Amino acid sequence: VNQILLLLLVLTVCAILYNKVHQVPLALKNETVDLESPEEMEEIPVVICAAAGRMGAAVAAISSIYSNTEASVLFYVVGLKTTIPHIRKWIENSKLKEIKFKIVEFNPMVLKGKIRQDASRPELLQPLNFVRFYLPLLIQKHEKVIYLDDDVIVQGDIQELYDTKLAPGHAAAFSDDCDLPSTHEMIRSVGMQNTYMGFLDYRKQAIRDLGISPSTCSFNPGVIVANMTEWKHQRITKQLEKWMQRNVEENLYSSTLGGGVATSPMLIVFHGKYSSINPMWHIRHLGWSPDARYSEQFLQEAKLLHWNGRYKPWDYPSVHTDLWENWFIPDPSGKFKLTRPDS
């Protein structure tokens, strides 16, 4: 009996050792597969508005981004109910049909009673100019979001812009208007404002009470890298709406000043509380004058070009239109046409 028990014990030990030895390669194989499996690319959400009469701008911006990156980009194309069918058809019936995109309808009723009517530049009062105020309401699932005005083209890899570091506690990053010496001559030549004095009415007590020096450098919110968690935590949208409401009541800023009605509340709310975008990722003022031009070499090195101002590259007169037209895709419906001297 003892010999039988000893034999069974030896057989049991041998079986255990056999299993352990033969399971090790399997475990190593599984681990190797896990280590070598490709990581899922992080999706880059980019918000662009498609306004009536300037949808070609949104199309060119999207085309330039998509053509210059290997990153996975998800475009949020924001429009009004009446314009959404047009932009959807344009995307789906052109080479942009390969992009990943979502059409988002913006309800202008959220602006009721918050915009002071100003006849000097009515285009600045269009509802889609204020989409950037409401990013968390439109974009739900992303922690970090890029917002771009439609009158831009991107010549660099959008991944670089997305990788912009935001300091702890900052809800957004912008480019300062004083940060690039190469643009200073352009600003002086066309009379462009680059300080808070150009955007806020310092004759008003509410503005003086902010304690912000009028010579403080401004920033341009046409390119934004935003942290949605901080934006919601700090109730940025509510703060912006408060200053919109105060402007209706007290006329604290207007479109007769440098930046119209969408920039001013952002300058107030984000004063001293934003991170910096590489200045080459926002070369602006290309639409401020039909005559003033940057050097071609400087523009070739730029990562992003912005035709902010009255003179847009799809209209005439305007400057550096060739750089913009490189990315323009004609409207399959024929509704949107470029304005050119010979047209």
Side-chain angles (χ1 to χ4, degrees):
V1 173
N2 289 338
Q3 288 179 339
I4 293 172
L5 289 174
L6 182 60
L7 179 62
L8 289 173
L9 180 60
V10 170
L11 291 173
T12 301
V13 170
C14 289
I16 292 171
L17 290 173
Y18 178 86
N19 286 335
K20 283 183 177 289
V21 168
H22 284 78
Q23 282 175 0
V24 169
L26 183 60
L28 287 175
K29 182 180 179 182
N30 288 341
E31 189 176 337
T32 302
V33 170
D34 290 339
L35 289 172
E36 292 180 353
S37 62
E39 291 185 9
E40 195 172 317
M41 292 179 68
E42 184 177 5
E43 204 166 57
I44 299 177
V46 176
V47 179
I48 296 180
C49 296
R54 47 193 289 163
M55 288 189 190
V59 165
I62 292 169
S63 171
S64 69
I65 295 166
Y66 181 67
S67 301
N68 287 308
T69 187
E70 296 295 325
S72 175
V73 181
L74 174 59
F75 293 96
Y76 285 86
V77 184
V78 186
L80 302 181
K81 187 175 183 179
T82 55
T83 61
I84 283 175
H86 185 187
I87 192 64
R88 184 185 295 278
K89 183 178 179 181
W90 198 330
I91 292 173
E92 293 178 346
N93 291 277
S94 70
K95 65 182 182 181
L96 290 181
K97 63 187 176 184
E98 300 174 353
I99 70 170
K100 292 192 292 184
F101 73 100
K102 290 184 178 181
I103 300 289
V104 180
E105 180 183 342
F106 182 68
N107 185 352
M109 289 304 294
V110 301
L111 301 172
K112 188 176 181 180
K114 300 184 183 74
I115 300 177
R116 185 183 184 87
Q117 296 304 311
D118 193 322
S120 60
R121 290 194 66 186
E123 75 275 12
L124 297 176
L125 304 178
Q126 296 302 314
L128 295 182
N129 280 342
F130 302 92
V131 162
R132 71 198 90 190
F133 291 12
Y134 296 93
L135 292 177
L137 302 181
L138 300 170
I139 314 302
Q140 301 293 334
K141 66 174 185 174
H142 300 283
E143 168 73 9
K144 197 175 186 182
V145 172
I146 293 174
Y147 167 87
L148 299 177
D149 276 354
D150 60 0
D151 51 354
V152 309
I153 60 163
V154 174
Q155 301 184 136
D157 186 341
I158 198 71
Q159 182 74 56
E160 291 181 29
L161 181 60
Y162 186 73
D163 290 341
T164 298
K165 301 296 184 186
L166 274 68
H170 286 179
F174 309 96
S175 280
D176 287 321
D177 283 327
C178 310
D179 58 8
L180 196 60
S182 305
T183 66
H184 292 173
E185 184 177 344
M186 167 78 85
I187 291 170
R188 285 193 297 271
S189 67
V190 300
M192 182 72 182
Q193 293 290 339
N194 64 353
T195 66
Y196 273 55
M197 176 66 83
F199 297 87
L200 305 177
D201 189 348
Y202 276 83
R203 295 171 299 179
K204 301 297 173 67
Q205 188 62 44
I207 297 300
R208 294 198 300 271
D209 287 345
L210 291 170
I212 302 173
S213 169
S215 62
T216 300
C217 185
S218 54
F219 59 80
N220 185 299
V223 177
I224 308 172
V225 181
N227 180 310
M228 293 293 92
T229 299
E230 281 295 336
W231 193 292
K232 288 182 280 190
H233 175 70
Q234 297 179 33
R235 298 169 61 85
I236 296 294
T237 298
K238 288 295 183 185
Q239 291 188 59
L240 291 168
E241 287 184 326
K242 181 191 83 170
W243 283 102
M244 292 169 73
Q245 190 68 52
R246 289 199 66 175
N247 184 57
V248 170
E249 298 164 358
E250 305 174 49
N251 195 19
L252 303 176
Y253 49 85
S254 75
S255 59
T256 56
L257 295 172
V261 294
T263 298
S264 300
M266 299 198 82
L267 291 177
I268 295 171
V269 170
F270 284 101
H271 174 253
K273 295 184 293 186
Y274 65 91
S275 297
S276 295
I277 290 173
N278 180 335
M280 294 303 287
W281 268 99
H282 195 177
I283 302 304
R284 37 207 185 279
H285 314 317
L286 276 74
W288 199 254
S289 165
D291 303 309
R293 302 173 66 93
Y294 288 112
S295 76
E296 293 299 327
Q297 180 181 351
F298 175 69
L299 293 182
Q300 292 294 337
E301 294 171 355
K303 304 288 188 177
L304 181 148
L305 304 178
H306 187 185
W307 279 262
N308 59 306
R310 296 173 184 264
Y311 302 97
K312 304 301 185 184
W314 55 90
D315 281 334
Y316 180 83
S318 55
V319 296
H320 304 297
T321 54
D322 55 325
L323 294 174
W324 183 85
E325 276 193 58
N326 284 339
W327 308 108
F328 175 67
I329 298 172
D331 182 0
S333 72
K335 295 177 184 177
F336 182 94
K337 293 182 174 63
L338 302 181
T339 303
R340 293 295 180 256
D342 53 352
S343 61

